[in-house]
Amino acid sequence: MPTTISISKIDVAYLEKCADHGLTYGIIICQKTEPENFQVVHLAKNCEEENEPLQGIISIEDISTQALATQWISACKMCPGSFNVQGVFIASVRKDIDNDQMDVAVRKMLYDLLNLLLQGNNFCVSIDEGNTPILFLAYSTVSKRAVCKAYIHNTSGGTFESVKYNYLDKPNQWHAFECLYDLDDIFPIFDDTQKINIENQFQHAIYATKRKLSGCEIFIENTCVDDSLSVEVFVAGNRKRASNENFKATVFLAVKRHHNNEKSVKVRKFNGTIRFLGIISSRIWCNNKNSLGDAKRFIRNDILRSLAARVQVYCDGLTDPHVSNDAIFISEPPRRVFFSIFVDGAMNPIQFSEYIFRGEAPTVAVAQAKQILDLDISTENIVADLEGLPDDEIISDISLSHLPKTSSQAIFNSPKYLTRSMYILSIAVSLLVLLLSVWLHYLLN
């Protein structure tokens, strides 16, 4: 079955606007449904470091694959699990947007781009499934014509496949699903070298989390729902809830059982641990044509991507990924904030997200939304109360003597713990009550 892409009138208007600068390029964010059907969710032109539109681009050869790769990786962290960065678009004032010469240039550009994305430990990019083919969309403001192709990456330079595209008369109706995922996992480090590559160890931990999530069951509105049921039918049966709040999802993880067999349990020596601790706030969006199976898959993707995004931010701050095998690290990762977007003055029901550290103002998310997604938002559009900050005493009260060597601990929106002062106060109150009861006993006798 051929690949199909759906594009709205709003997207066409954006392409018209982008082409005012000659040749403009950027990324395509889509929602993928089975089989190879893609719904364009957002188009974002590529901007320079100072937020100014790229000028002077006249051909495909002038496109910076490094700038595209940077934008692609950053946008992956900002997309909810129901959406993927799926391709590249160009908007041009030229008529000839489809010829053999351009075909060769586009293939080389996408080949170089994919090679850049596959290099290094780009956690959010590497965990995304089904991200092939890569879409390429070219639009001419002169001929008012669009050309779309699907690029299949391989070591010999890649190939193109035909794509059928259609225009949507009206935007999709979106429905939000959300859940809180309680994360408390410890992963062993078996590397016994003097200098351990912590990025590789994080990669192993993320893949282990991915396998764990793949075997989970997800209830929606506290009900085990049929995966084949369409979102439209489900919403119709829950209309009261759909009108004023998001649908709630709950993740139930499978419990591994060991039989009374000594061979079923393995004991291995390890040299350290990585611990993920806290609560991840997950939120995804589905349209009426999605199934509840799609919704569950999107939630799994979102949880994993949110975890990978925070690990990516942590690793980007490392001056050297190699750490000694007797080191102990405790890190407070950034918290997740969502922001609403506006299209033609009206609020779009979907949201994207960003990650900010303690002490950072929401204006950081505003700047990132503009630079990466070409979105003009204000601090009022940011939903920053879904994930709270952990107490300051959490880190100071952790006993390092109980942590194994070479452990890196990531604390994600941890629940409140009793502080040392609260323990002392409770003990003092208990002693006071005890002394008072003894005194009353002797006094009454």
Side-chain angles (χ1 to χ4, degrees):
M1 188 173 182
T3 302
T4 304
I5 180 172
S6 300
I7 188 170
S8 69
K9 294 180 179 179
I10 296 176
D11 299 321
V12 175
Y14 182 80
L15 293 172
E16 291 273 357
K17 177 184 174 181
C18 288
D20 290 342
H21 303 294
L23 190 150
T24 304
Y25 64 91
I27 57 173
I28 306 172
I29 297 175
C30 292
Q31 182 179 84
K32 180 185 176 184
T33 56
E34 301 296 341
E36 303 290 332
N37 294 324
F38 298 93
Q39 165 68 57
V40 175
V41 176
H42 182 66
L43 300 174
K45 66 184 177 184
N46 192 279
C47 298
E48 291 179 334
E49 294 180 0
E50 299 177 349
N51 264 0
E52 292 296 329
L54 290 170
Q55 304 286 345
I57 302 295
I58 59 175
S59 66
I60 301 294
E61 290 82 358
D62 297 327
I63 293 177
S64 170
T65 52
Q66 183 61 59
L68 263 178
T70 301
Q71 183 188 17
W72 188 301
I73 293 170
S74 299
C76 278
K77 293 185 291 186
M78 302 173 76
C79 289
S82 48
F83 308 140
N84 285 322
V85 182
Q86 202 69 53
V88 177
F89 77 87
I90 64 168
S92 174
V93 295
R94 295 172 52 182
K95 288 184 179 180
D96 54 336
I97 57 173
D98 187 20
N99 54 52
D100 293 339
Q101 183 178 358
M102 180 173 287
D103 221 37
V104 174
V106 171
R107 187 182 290 109
K108 182 181 185 306
M109 182 264 293
L110 294 177
Y111 177 80
D112 294 340
L113 172 64
L114 266 293
N115 284 337
L116 284 174
L117 293 176
L118 295 174
Q119 290 176 3
N121 288 319
N122 297 319
F123 299 107
C124 289
V125 175
S126 61
I127 58 97
D128 283 337
E129 288 185 331
N131 249 18
T132 55
I134 302 301
L135 301 176
F136 174 75
L137 174 66
Y139 181 81
S140 170
T141 57
V142 177
S143 63
K144 308 297 181 183
R145 189 169 66 94
V147 173
C148 189
K149 300 179 180 181
Y151 172 79
I152 307 298
H153 187 65
N154 55 49
T155 56
S156 61
T159 58
F160 278 129
E161 291 183 355
S162 61
V163 173
K164 178 183 178 181
Y165 65 93
N166 55 72
Y167 295 102
L168 298 176
D169 294 330
K170 59 181 180 180
N172 276 324
Q173 183 179 5
W174 297 101
H175 308 283
F177 295 75
E178 63 182 12
C179 79
L180 296 176
Y181 180 70
D182 195 355
L183 186 69
D184 189 358
D185 293 316
I186 299 177
F187 305 96
I189 297 176
F190 296 106
D191 192 340
D192 59 355
T193 57
Q194 185 65 29
K195 288 287 187 177
I196 296 174
N197 189 318
I198 195 64
E199 290 186 354
N200 290 341
Q201 300 304 322
F202 273 126
Q203 190 79 273
H204 297 326
I206 289 174
Y207 279 123
T209 304
K210 182 178 182 178
R211 291 191 296 270
K212 184 177 181 180
L213 284 171
S214 65
C216 76
E217 182 54 65
I218 298 178
F219 282 23
I220 299 178
E221 294 297 333
N222 295 322
T223 305
C224 183
V225 295
D226 183 3
D227 287 2
S228 63
L229 188 68
S230 70
V231 170
E232 184 176 18
V233 174
F234 178 79
V235 170
N238 295 268
R239 191 162 296 170
K240 289 185 179 181
R241 298 190 64 85
S243 61
N244 55 14
E245 60 181 297
N246 301 333
F247 293 106
K248 301 298 189 293
T250 309
V251 177
F252 292 92
L253 297 173
V255 178
K256 190 174 182 179
R257 298 180 61 187
H258 294 288
H259 299 287
N260 296 327
N261 184 355
E262 60 180 12
K263 294 183 179 180
S264 65
V265 179
K266 293 182 180 179
V267 179
R268 295 183 63 182
K269 180 181 179 181
F270 57 90
N271 302 293
T273 59
I274 291 177
R275 185 182 185 189
F276 293 147
L277 173 64
I279 299 175
I280 292 179
S281 175
S282 174
R283 183 177 287 183
I284 59 97
W285 283 263
C286 296
N287 62 59
N288 285 332
K289 294 183 179 179
N290 289 135
S291 67
L292 293 182
D294 290 331
K296 294 180 182 181
R297 175 166 55 89
F298 295 154
I299 290 171
R300 293 185 184 98
N301 290 345
D302 189 68
I303 294 171
L304 192 65
R305 188 179 297 171
S306 183
L307 173 62
R310 301 178 215 230
V311 172
Q312 184 76 64
V313 171
Y314 172 81
C315 290
D316 287 344
L318 296 175
T319 55
D320 183 4
H322 296 86
V323 298
S324 61
N325 59 11
D326 59 349
I328 295 176
F329 297 94
I330 301 176
S331 173
E332 180 191 332
R335 62 191 174 108
R336 190 180 196 181
V337 298
F338 290 86
F339 54 86
S340 304
I341 63 178
F342 287 82
V343 179
D344 293 339
M347 180 177 289
N348 194 312
I350 66 172
Q351 295 177 331
F352 292 93
S353 65
E354 181 55 311
Y355 299 87
I356 58 176
F357 284 96
R358 179 192 294 270
E360 284 187 325
T363 51
V364 174
V366 173
Q368 283 293 95
K370 178 59 179 175
Q371 182 175 342
I372 306 302
L373 299 179
D374 193 28
L375 289 171
D376 292 310
I377 66 170
S378 62
T379 53
E380 289 77 16
N381 303 132
I382 298 176
V383 182
D385 58 350
L386 291 178
E387 292 187 353
L389 290 171
D391 291 342
D392 292 330
E393 291 84 356
I394 291 177
I395 294 178
S396 62
D397 282 353
I398 293 178
S399 175
L400 298 183
S401 62
H402 291 87
L403 290 178
K405 292 184 177 181
T406 324
S407 68
S408 292
Q409 241 193 103
I411 303 175
F412 295 99
N413 183 30
S414 301
K416 294 183 178 181
Y417 287 82
L418 292 177
T419 62
R420 184 180 292 108
S421 59
M422 293 179 68
Y423 277 120
I424 295 174
L425 179 62
S426 62
I427 294 173
V429 171
S430 301
L431 290 175
L432 182 61
V433 172
L434 177 62
L435 292 174
L436 183 61
S437 62
V438 171
W439 180 75
L440 288 173
H441 174 75
Y442 283 104
L443 181 64
L444 295 176
N445 290 334

